[in-house]
Amino acid sequence: MVTNEQAAQVAAKVEHPACRFSVAPMLDWTDRHCRYFHRLLSENTQLYTEMVTTGAIIHGKADYLAYNEEEHPLVLQLGGSNPADLAHCAKLAQERGYDEVNLNVGCPSDRVKNGRFGACLMGEADLVAQCVSAMREVVDIPVTVKTRIGIDDQDSYEFLTDFISTVSEKSGCQDFTIHARKAWLSGLSPKENREIPPLDYPRVYQLKRDFPHLTMAVNGGVKTMEEIEAHLVHLDGVMVGREAYQNPYLLAEIDQRLFGSDKPVKKRREIVEAMYPYIERQLANGSYLGHISRHMLGLFQNMPGARQWRRHISENAHKPGAGIEVLEQAMAKIPAHLDV
C-alpha cells in the first residue's frame, strides 16, 4: 500500500522520464493505430512497436518501420541475434526518427526460440552484449534490453545478476526492463508464459538495489495506478502490457499522476471524438475501420453501456464502407447523462 507521502514523492521524482511509464510491445496489438490512440490518452507515456525481426526489416517487402509522427516518444523493439543485422536495423531506426531501440530478450514462443532470439538469449549473455554493443556503435539514441528474471531451470538470482552484469559491463547498456516472471522455453505457450510462472517483484527490487547505477523498469501483472506508484517507490519505471490494452483509460491519468501535468484529464468521449480525424485520414488511405476500432473496444470498460459499445463496433466495423458513424452509434449506447 502506498502512503500519501510516498505517492507525492513518486509524482515529484522524475529522474528517468524516458522509462518512467511505458506500454509494453505486444504482438498483434501495439500497431501504429493502437499507438496513436494511446498517445491521445497520454502525452508522456513511452510507446513501443510490436517486436519486429531483423529479417522482416531487411528482407521484407512491407515498411515495418512506419509510424505516425504523433507517437513520440517511440521505441522500436527488435528481435534478432546477429549483431551486424541488429546494428543495420538500429541505424535505420535512428534515421527514421525513433527515440530508442530495444532488444527483445523476453519473448518465449517456439518460433522465437527457433530463430535464436527472445528469451532463449538469456542463456547467451555474451552474445546479447555483442548485439547491444554493435547497435550502440552505430547510433546515438539509447539501446535498451527487455528481459525476464530467468529461463527454464536457470532461474536463480545469481543467474539473473550474472546476465545483467555481463550485458551492462561488456556493452555499456544502462537501461533494462525486467518482466518479473521467468520463461519456460518448452511446455508453455506464450499466453501461459504471461500467466503461469509466478511474479517475483521483490527480486526485481533487489536487482535495482544491487545495480543502483542502472535504470530499471518492471513489467508483468501491473493493473492499477496504485500498483504503478508502489513499484515506482523501488524502481525507475513501470511497463504495463495487457491492462493498458484491455483497459486503455488507465492511461488517462498518467500525465497528471506521474509527470506533473496540470492539464485536465480527458474524458472518454473526448478521446473517441479526437480519433475521428485520424480515422477518416486512414480510411481515405485504404485502411479498414475494424483495424483501428479494435484497439478502442476497452475504452468504456466497467462503465454502463460498455458491453453495447463493444458489441456495436464488433458487429459493424468490419462491414464494407464502415466509417466514423459506427463509433458515433456505439457511443450513443453509453448513457448520455454520464460525464465520461
Side-chain angles (χ1 to χ4, degrees):
M1 185 70 179
V2 180
T3 66
N4 290 337
E5 181 179 355
Q6 286 174 324
Q9 291 172 350
V10 166
K13 186 180 70 173
V14 191
E15 296 173 2
H16 303 279
C19 81
R20 189 166 178 72
F21 182 79
S22 61
V23 174
M26 292 177 280
L27 283 171
D28 299 322
W29 286 7
T30 52
D31 62 19
R32 60 192 179 94
H33 301 315
C34 176
R35 298 190 304 264
Y36 186 94
F37 171 56
H38 283 170
R39 179 58 68 222
L40 290 177
L41 285 153
S42 169
E43 295 179 2
N44 295 287
T45 293
Q46 191 172 53
L47 302 179
Y48 281 69
T49 67
E50 304 167 86
M51 183 191 69
V52 187
T53 65
T54 54
I57 294 172
I58 296 171
H59 305 294
K61 295 181 180 179
D63 182 2
Y64 290 97
L65 299 180
Y67 64 90
N68 305 290
E69 284 298 324
E70 294 87 350
E71 295 173 33
H72 293 292
L74 179 62
V75 183
L76 172 68
Q77 189 184 62
L78 290 172
S81 59
N82 181 295
D85 287 349
L86 285 163
H88 176 69
C89 292
K91 191 172 183 180
L92 290 176
Q94 178 168 283
E95 291 171 354
R96 294 289 292 272
Y98 280 88
D99 300 293
E100 181 181 307
V101 175
N102 179 265
L103 180 63
N104 184 318
V105 190
C107 184
S109 77
D110 291 338
R111 181 173 64 84
V112 166
K113 182 181 177 183
N114 294 336
R116 201 182 177 206
F117 56 88
C120 64
L121 287 177
M122 279 202 81
E124 300 185 69
D126 284 328
L127 177 58
V128 173
Q130 292 170 28
C131 291
V132 174
S133 292
M135 290 188 281
R136 294 187 75 235
E137 286 174 6
V138 299
V139 300
D140 299 317
I141 58 177
V143 178
T144 62
V145 170
K146 184 174 187 289
T147 189
R148 295 265 182 153
I149 59 172
I151 48 172
D152 296 336
D153 294 323
Q154 295 176 289
D155 60 355
S156 68
Y157 185 66
E158 182 182 10
F159 171 77
L160 177 59
T161 56
D162 285 348
F163 174 82
I164 296 295
S165 61
T166 297
V167 174
S168 61
E169 291 170 12
K170 291 187 175 182
S171 75
C173 182
Q174 297 292 302
D175 298 85
F176 294 83
T177 298
I178 314 293
H179 187 150
R181 290 184 173 94
K182 76 172 182 177
W184 285 102
L185 301 180
S186 300
L188 292 182
S189 69
K191 182 177 185 296
E192 290 170 330
N193 259 302
R194 292 192 295 268
E195 298 171 350
I196 293 178
L199 287 159
D200 192 346
Y201 297 133
R203 180 171 294 199
V204 184
Y205 297 167
Q206 184 62 48
L207 198 65
K208 174 62 183 178
R209 288 194 291 271
D210 291 339
F211 295 88
H213 59 292
L214 299 179
T215 300
M216 291 199 179
V218 70
N219 171 230
V222 182
K223 294 184 177 182
T224 68
M225 183 63 68
E226 289 68 32
E227 290 170 1
I228 293 167
E229 291 175 336
H231 288 309
L232 286 172
V233 171
H234 305 278
L235 297 160
D236 304 303
V238 177
M239 174 183 280
V240 176
R242 285 170 291 165
E243 189 67 19
Y245 188 87
Q246 295 164 354
N247 179 26
Y249 201 64
L250 172 69
L251 304 181
E253 289 186 303
I254 291 296
D255 294 347
Q256 289 76 15
R257 298 277 288 267
L258 302 186
F259 293 94
S261 173
D262 57 3
K263 294 182 180 179
V265 175
K266 294 178 182 176
K267 305 291 187 182
R268 293 171 178 84
R269 295 182 192 274
E270 290 180 63
I271 299 296
V272 175
E273 291 169 357
M275 281 294 291
Y276 290 167
Y278 175 79
I279 292 171
E280 290 179 326
R281 290 196 303 271
Q282 295 300 316
L283 295 181
N285 290 328
S287 295
Y288 294 96
L289 178 63
H291 294 166
I292 305 170
S293 61
R294 68 188 182 100
H295 303 300
M296 303 170 65
L297 292 176
L299 183 59
F300 291 92
Q301 182 169 302
N302 299 322
M303 301 296 297
R307 182 179 298 178
Q308 291 84 349
W309 155 269
R310 293 193 302 269
R311 181 175 179 178
H312 187 83
I313 295 173
S314 298
E315 291 179 350
N316 295 282
H318 67 281
K319 295 179 179 178
I324 61 170
E325 73 282 349
V326 173
L327 294 177
E328 292 173 332
Q329 293 160 3
M331 199 149 56
K333 309 290 183 181
I334 307 299
H337 68 276
L338 293 178
D339 184 24
V340 297

